[in-house]
């Protein structure tokens, strides 16, 4: 098990580059999302597994003993932690690769600039990576383990659960946006699967996500990231309904068994141990599901499952048969019980996932670390988004009245923007706190801008600004702002100066006219300099 | 705060600046009427959200919803309405565009990304304001 785990652990680091290079940069936030989900779902799944071990008396005891406790404890305790260390160096290198490979503007300078700021997020994300591959393995194992409960699970997916708000919504969503979900699935699932996988092509990632989707679907629909799970469980009802229509409990085991083989096939992909089995399962599942590409894609599955499932390849089929035989006798009895159990487990898992999302959002929304409770957090998030939207409105209002003879030097503006985002962020962090209506927004905002001056001025004052101050004055005295913009683009240190000057100008003359502002700025600016 | 998303900001900045240029070219130098000002304000705000949605593209549910709204509004531009629909601001599912058709998990996902984009957009707009003119921005 450990050796197998190491295989999986090595792969994610290799796949990191590819997946990152290939996918859009916006995946970066989703990493954290995925990682957060995975860490907690992995932990949650141990409890899930254990509870299932206890409660599913229907399952064959041999399977229970051999499978869940040892496997899960092994994976979570041993591998992921040791994995973390292994990956630290790997991901550091991948982060540097990120800087080089990505052609994004200012990525390297920014990374170097905020070396301190950049590494912690990466290292913060690192512990999540091992959980990814470990989670995949656990998901695989979980799906194997819960072979006995497949029937109930699949019935569960098929049955429209009134208690479950997601299934209906998911059904609606997926009927409408199936292709979009595929795209998202490929993106996010590709990211998720790309780490343990070897290749980075999106198509392959999509396939992997498909295979993961297969597994997850059979394994209570627990996938790596939320959208993955959404789509997986969303597709679950669609396909399961198609599969389950008109099936007696006895027959339900048949497709389950065949699907089981499909999972095995997906896992045993590179081993080629069961080529015939794969052909069978492919055919069968193609009959069952209307999507044959699932299994063909699942055949070309990532290597993450490879090692683990390769070692376990022989065992699951036997246990699968055992389960089938056991299930036949007790199908009706275990239906309701396992259904209820699965309901509870899924609810629990979903709640955990949602709490993960909320925690992630908590990080996004400033000043929400002390707030606890979903309701309060939701209120805070809503307030924050509303305040951001109000800011957009306000700023658009201001922009609309700005002198239309502006010459927008896009490249220079962007450079300035990159370098100034440090200062800009500090001002931004303060502003969301205000929730004033639109018209009286001016004075409070000016007052709030004032508070961020100390941070900016501290930096500014240390710099050699004497050379620039004459041009600052010149820029402000001229009515047209073309000079200021072009000069800004030339001098990189300008932004903080300008920010300072502007802020100080705002504070010094809150309601005053523009000319007074420009007149008062240079002297104020010069006085501020040491 | 999270790591600043530079590629997103770059896209946002370029699109928004282009949209602004287009608006400015159509603008008369001296706005006189309140209605004109309101119209311009709406145009800039629409440009802000449009640049956000188009730079994110169809990858996100909220951006898709925004783009849908843009297209609908474009068709209905023949009849300009004074009361602009404020992109739904009641609850979170209203706040995030297109949130009604999402389950809570994706809704929270969308909210996170939406917040990120909003933050970037606000930063860009603020930078534009501060860099373009400190002289005329106070006049309304």
């Amino acid at each position: 098990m450990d050796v197998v785990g190491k295989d999986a652990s090595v792969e994610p680091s290799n796949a990191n580059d590819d997946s990152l290079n290939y996918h859009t940069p916006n995946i970066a936030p989703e990493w954290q999302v995925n990682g957060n989900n995975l860490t907690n779902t992995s932990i949650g799944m141990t409890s899930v597994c254990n509870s299932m071990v206890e409660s599913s008396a229907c399952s064959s005891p041999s399977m229970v003993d051999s499978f869940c406790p040892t496997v899960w404890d092994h994976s979570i305790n041993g591998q992921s932690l040791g994995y973390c260390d292994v990956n630290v160096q790997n991901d550091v290198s991948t982060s540097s690769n990120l800087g080089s490979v990505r052609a994004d503007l200012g990525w390297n300078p920014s990374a170097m600039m905020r070396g301190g700021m950049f590494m912690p997020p990466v290292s913060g994300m690192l512990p999540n990576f091992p959980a990814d591959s470990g989670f995949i393995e656990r998901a695989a194992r979980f799906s194997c383990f819960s072979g006995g409960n497949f029937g109930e699970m699949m019935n569960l997916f098929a049955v429209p659960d009134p208690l479950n708000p997601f299934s209906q919504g998911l059904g609606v969503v997926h009927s409408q946006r199936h292709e979009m979900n595929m795209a998202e699935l490929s993106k996010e699932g590709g990211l998720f699967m790309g780490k343990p996988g070897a290749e980075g092509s999106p198509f392959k990632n999509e396939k992997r996500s498909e295979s993961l989707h297969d597994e997850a679907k059979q394994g209570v629909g627990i996938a790596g990231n939320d959208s993955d799970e959404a789509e997986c469980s969303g597709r679950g009802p669609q396909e399961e309904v198609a599969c389950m229509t008109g099936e007696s409990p006895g027959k339900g085991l048949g497709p389950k068994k065949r699907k089981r083989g499909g999972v095995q096939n997906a896992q045993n992909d590179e081993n080629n141990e069961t080529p015939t089995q794969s052909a069978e399962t492919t055919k069968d599942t193609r009959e069952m599901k209307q999507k044959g590409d699932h299994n063909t894609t699942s055949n070309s599955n990532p290597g993450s499952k490879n090692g683990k499932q390769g070692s376990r390849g022989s065992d699951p089929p036997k246990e699968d048969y055992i389960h089938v035989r056991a299930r036949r006798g007790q199908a009706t009895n275990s239906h309701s019980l396992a259904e209820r159990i699965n309901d509870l487990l899924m609810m629990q898992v979903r709640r955990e996932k949602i709490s993960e999302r909320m925690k992630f959002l908590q990080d996004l929304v400033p000043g929400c670390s002390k707030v606890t409770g979903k309701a309060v957090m939701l209120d805070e998030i809503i307030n924050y988004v509303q305040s951001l939207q109000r800011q957009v409105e306000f700023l658009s209002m201001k922009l609309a009245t700005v002198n239309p003879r502006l010459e927008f030097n896009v490249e220079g503006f962007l450079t300035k923007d990159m370098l100034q985002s440090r200062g800009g962020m500090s001002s931004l962090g303060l502003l969301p706190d205000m929730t004033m209506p639109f018209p009286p927004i001016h004075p409070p905002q000016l007052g709030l801008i004032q508070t961020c001056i100390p941070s900016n001025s501290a930096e500014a004052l240390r710099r050699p600004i004497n050379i620039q101050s004459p041009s600052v004055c010149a820029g402000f005295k001229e009515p047209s702002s073309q000079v200021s913009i072009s000069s800004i683009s030339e001098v990189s240190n300008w932004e903080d100066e300008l920010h300072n000057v502007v802020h100080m100008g705002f504070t010094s003359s809150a309601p005053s006219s523009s000319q007074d502002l420009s007149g008062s700025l240079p002297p104020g600016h010069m006085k501020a300099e040491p | 705060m999270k790591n600043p998303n530079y590629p997103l900001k770059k896209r946002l900045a370029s699109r928004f600046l282009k949209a602004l240029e287009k608006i400015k070219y159509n603008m008369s130098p001296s706005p006189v009427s309140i209605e004109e000002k309101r119209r311009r304000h709406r145009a800039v705000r629409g440009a802000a959200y449009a640049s956000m949605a188009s730079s994110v593209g169809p990858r996100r549910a909220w951006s898709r919803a925004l783009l849908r709204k843009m297209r609908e509004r474009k068709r209905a531009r023949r009849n300009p309405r004074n009361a602009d629909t404020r992109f739904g601001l009641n609850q979170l599912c209203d706040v995030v565009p297109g949130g009604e058709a999402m389950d809570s998990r994706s809704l929270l996902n969308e909210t996170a990304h939406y917040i990120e984009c909003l933050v970037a957009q606000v930063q860009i707009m603020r930078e534009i304001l501060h860099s373009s003119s400190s002289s005329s921005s106070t006049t309304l």
Side-chain angles (χ1 to χ4, degrees):
Chain A
M1 294 292 180
D2 294 332
V3 174
V4 176
K6 289 285 169 38
D7 290 341
S9 69
V10 169
E11 289 171 54
S13 56
N14 300 333
N16 275 339
D17 299 335
D18 302 327
S19 60
L20 287 169
N21 298 341
Y22 202 92
H23 292 284
T24 62
N26 276 340
I27 283 180
E30 285 135 18
W31 274 13
Q32 286 188 356
V33 167
N34 296 343
N36 292 335
N37 288 340
L38 290 170
T39 41
N40 290 338
T41 50
S42 64
I43 296 169
M45 281 178 74
T46 39
S47 57
V48 164
C49 175
N50 291 333
S51 60
M52 283 198 65
V53 169
E54 296 157 2
S55 57
S56 61
C58 323
S59 312
S60 66
S62 62
M63 176 103 162
V64 169
D65 294 338
S66 64
F67 245 73
C68 212
T70 55
V71 162
W72 291 73
D73 296 341
H74 253 299
S75 58
I76 288 178
N77 300 332
Q79 293 175 8
S80 44
L81 295 180
Y83 195 60
C84 203
D85 304 331
V86 170
N87 249 2
V88 168
Q89 297 83 16
N90 291 337
D91 283 303
V92 167
S93 60
T94 56
S95 64
S96 58
N97 289 341
L98 269 184
S100 56
V101 173
R102 283 201 198 184
D104 300 330
L105 179 70
W107 180 259
N108 268 331
S110 72
M112 289 186 290
M113 261 182 52
R114 32 194 97 196
M117 286 167 59
F118 182 70
M119 294 323 286
V122 172
S123 56
M125 286 197 287
L126 289 176
N128 299 328
F129 290 166
D132 287 350
S133 65
F135 175 73
I136 293 171
E137 297 153 3
R138 276 190 291 279
R141 290 203 203 101
F142 186 62
S143 64
C144 297
F145 159 72
S146 56
N149 292 328
F150 270 4
E152 288 73 22
M153 280 183 213
M154 287 158 69
N155 286 335
L156 182 69
F157 276 118
V159 170
D161 188 359
L163 303 173
N164 183 3
F166 306 122
S167 60
Q168 296 172 359
L170 282 171
V172 172
V173 163
H174 291 286
S175 61
Q176 293 169 2
R177 299 189 277 146
H178 187 68
E179 283 68 31
M180 300 246 198
N181 291 339
M182 288 290 294
E184 279 195 11
L185 187 64
S186 66
K187 171 181 72 90
E188 293 177 345
L191 174 68
F192 173 71
M193 296 302 299
K195 283 185 283 231
E199 296 84 4
S201 67
F203 189 52
K204 281 231 166 192
N205 286 336
E206 182 174 306
K207 290 178 186 175
R208 285 178 215 145
S209 64
E210 290 295 332
S211 58
L212 176 67
H213 154 65
D214 289 347
E215 286 197 5
K217 189 175 50 175
Q218 300 170 16
V220 197
I222 295 171
N225 55 12
D226 288 348
S227 65
D228 239 348
E229 180 174 358
E231 276 114 22
C232 289
S233 48
R235 282 209 213 104
Q238 283 182 358
E239 295 177 356
E240 300 313 329
V241 169
C243 301
M244 286 307 180
T245 50
E247 273 179 347
S248 64
K251 277 203 205 123
L253 305 167
K256 172 185 62 174
K257 185 180 81 162
R258 268 178 263 154
K259 255 196 204 159
R260 193 72 188 85
V263 172
Q264 292 311 308
N265 174 32
Q267 298 159 357
N268 296 336
D269 171 40
E270 299 188 13
N271 283 341
N272 293 331
E273 287 178 356
T274 60
T276 58
Q277 184 183 10
S278 69
E280 291 175 11
T281 53
T282 303
K283 197 169 37 137
D284 290 341
T285 49
R286 202 178 295 128
E287 293 166 22
M288 286 178 41
K289 317 176 190 178
Q290 286 82 19
K291 302 162 195 171
D293 54 345
H294 273 205
N295 295 312
T296 53
T297 58
S298 66
N299 288 339
S300 66
N301 194 4
S304 77
K305 310 214 171 92
N306 174 23
K308 280 226 181 292
Q309 285 70 20
S311 64
R312 280 187 305 121
S314 53
D315 296 357
K318 287 191 291 239
E319 281 140 356
D320 186 32
Y321 298 137
I322 294 173
H323 271 284
V324 167
R325 277 181 241 126
R327 281 277 133 250
R328 268 180 216 276
Q330 311 169 15
T332 50
N333 289 348
S334 52
H335 251 265
S336 52
L337 180 67
E339 250 184 63
R340 263 182 267 125
I341 291 165
N342 286 333
D343 276 338
L344 291 172
L345 292 170
M346 284 170 62
M347 283 303 194
Q348 184 183 1
V349 168
R350 279 204 199 87
R351 253 181 274 121
E352 286 169 5
K353 285 201 189 322
I354 289 186
S355 63
E356 274 322 294
R357 307 256 111 238
M358 299 281 298
K359 278 190 205 130
F360 178 66
L361 276 176
Q362 212 171 13
D363 297 335
L364 267 186
V365 178
C368 270
S369 48
K370 1 179 179 21
V371 174
T372 55
K374 264 170 71 170
V376 186
M377 261 306 298
L378 267 177
D379 285 342
E380 283 297 315
I381 290 168
I382 292 174
N383 284 339
Y384 184 58
V385 175
Q386 286 179 350
S387 73
L388 281 178
Q389 285 175 336
R390 273 194 293 269
Q391 280 180 38
V392 168
E393 281 209 33
F394 169 65
L395 287 173
S396 67
M397 186 78 179
K398 285 180 83 175
L399 272 176
T401 62
V402 158
N403 192 339
R405 284 197 309 273
L406 294 173
E407 165 190 308
F408 290 113
N409 189 353
V410 178
E411 293 80 20
F413 172 76
L414 286 175
T415 316
K416 165 185 93 69
D417 182 37
M418 303 301 181
L419 292 171
Q420 189 163 16
S421 52
R422 216 184 344 160
M425 275 209 217
S426 57
S427 65
L428 189 64
L430 291 167
L431 279 166
D433 294 337
M434 70 175 181
T435 55
M436 299 233 179
F438 180 79
I441 223 168
H442 251 316
Q445 187 185 17
L446 297 177
L448 279 170
I449 291 177
Q450 177 186 7
T451 59
C452 71
I453 282 178
S455 60
N456 287 338
S457 56
E459 306 170 26
L461 292 179
R462 285 186 221 113
R463 295 199 197 140
I465 19 183
N466 297 329
I467 305 168
Q468 301 161 6
S469 52
S471 40
V472 172
C473 306
F476 280 123
K477 276 173 187 154
E478 291 188 18
S480 78
S481 37
Q482 298 178 5
V483 173
S484 60
I485 290 182
S486 52
S487 53
I488 284 169
S489 62
E490 295 159 19
V491 182
S492 63
N493 280 341
W494 256 61
E495 299 79 59
D496 286 334
E497 310 314 312
L498 197 54
H499 226 46
N500 268 340
V501 170
V502 165
H503 291 164
M504 282 156 52
F506 277 162
T507 54
S508 63
S509 56
S512 63
S513 68
S514 54
Q515 277 64 32
D516 291 345
L517 258 183
S518 58
S520 64
L521 274 172
H525 180 66
M526 298 220 243
K527 276 181 209 150
E529 300 173 12
Chain B
M1 197 109 176
K2 251 176 24 160
N3 216 5
N5 195 343
Y6 283 141
L8 171 71
K9 286 183 80 170
K10 175 180 150 203
R11 279 200 307 273
L12 272 179
S14 63
R15 280 173 207 254
F16 185 57
L17 284 173
K18 283 188 199 132
L20 268 188
E21 282 184 35
K22 208 190 297 183
I23 294 178
K24 302 288 192 214
Y25 285 154
N26 297 339
M27 251 165 63
S28 61
S30 60
V32 284
S33 71
I34 303 282
E35 187 50 43
E36 173 72 17
K37 284 184 198 169
R38 232 179 268 149
R39 205 172 54 76
R40 268 189 225 172
H41 162 53
R42 280 200 295 270
V44 174
R45 186 184 63 194
Y49 281 114
S51 69
M52 269 173 65
S54 64
S55 63
V56 167
R59 282 197 303 274
R60 281 282 166 181
W62 67 263
S63 65
R64 289 195 290 271
L66 262 186
L67 289 171
R68 241 178 283 135
K69 267 189 211 156
M70 298 289 165
R71 290 189 196 117
E72 288 169 9
R73 190 161 304 172
K74 209 172 161 186
R75 283 186 213 113
R77 194 180 281 180
R78 304 296 167 250
N79 317 323
R81 283 161 283 180
N82 283 342
D84 233 9
T85 59
R86 296 186 67 204
F87 292 95
L89 285 191
N90 291 328
Q91 289 301 316
L92 192 62
C93 63
D94 298 331
V95 167
V96 176
E100 305 86 17
M102 286 190 243
D103 64 330
S104 10
R105 235 172 303 128
S106 1
L107 185 59
L108 292 179
N109 267 345
E110 298 296 318
T111 309
H113 195 261
Y114 187 57
I115 285 177
E116 186 187 325
C117 275
L118 272 180
V119 163
Q121 180 73 39
V122 167
Q123 278 179 7
I124 286 172
M125 292 172 77
R126 203 179 300 278
E127 295 312 320
I128 292 179
L129 267 182
H130 290 158
S131 73
S132 67
S133 67
S134 63
S135 54
S136 63
S137 57
T138 51
T139 58
L140 266 181

